Amino acid sequence: REVEEEARPPWGDALVLLRAWAVVYLLALLKGGHGAPSLLGVACGSAGYWAVVVLNLPILALLTAVAARGRLRTHRSRVQMGYAYVEGDVEWDVDKVVRLPALVCVGAIAAGMLGVGGGMILGQIFTEL
């Protein structure tokens, strides 16, 4: 059964990612900004605005926890069945499902603060000029 699952596209993983994107998009619509009105009618900079901004953190933390729990469940199932991991496979354990999202958060904050995303795009454009 595990071999058959490995041969198919990971639709479950894609749905987890799609769910996270949908939640972030919905929260952005509720917040408004960049010329778009808030669906809740909150004014930019108001307490309601910042409440919606901060609401991203616990919701995304919950989605991360659900995804981590799924990874751990899959790993435990594979270990019980004697699944043979190959080089490059991630053997998920509690340390990895905590450390990886934490490192991603640090990297995302650094990228946002330092403008890494824009620099990666503009750097290529400037090189061509």
Side-chain angles (χ1 to χ4, degrees):
R1 178 177 162 271
E2 286 292 321
V3 173
E4 291 173 8
E5 283 185 23
E6 287 292 317
R8 289 191 303 242
W11 295 115
D13 294 342
L15 288 175
V16 168
L17 184 59
L18 183 63
R19 180 176 46 203
W21 283 345
V23 167
V24 170
Y25 183 69
L26 176 66
L27 289 170
L29 289 174
L30 293 176
K31 176 181 65 91
H34 300 289
S38 164
L39 292 181
L40 297 175
V42 295
C44 183
S46 68
Y49 174 88
W50 289 110
V52 175
V53 169
V54 171
L55 188 60
N56 278 281
L57 297 175
I59 290 177
L60 291 175
L62 176 67
L63 290 174
T64 301
V66 168
R69 200 168 125 202
R71 293 287 109 202
L72 289 173
R73 189 179 318 117
T74 300
H75 173 68
R76 285 189 199 112
S77 168
R78 288 178 177 174
V79 167
Q80 286 177 349
M81 294 175 9
Y83 182 82
Y85 284 95
V86 296
E87 184 180 344
D89 282 349
V90 178
E91 296 184 42
W92 292 99
D93 56 19
V94 175
D95 179 55
K96 286 187 180 102
V97 298
V98 170
R99 194 169 26 128
L100 182 64
L103 289 172
V104 167
C105 285
V106 170
I109 290 169
M113 292 175 68
L114 300 173
V116 173
M120 289 173 58
I121 294 168
L122 292 176
Q124 302 303 317
I125 293 171
F126 290 144
T127 301
E128 291 298 317
L129 296 177

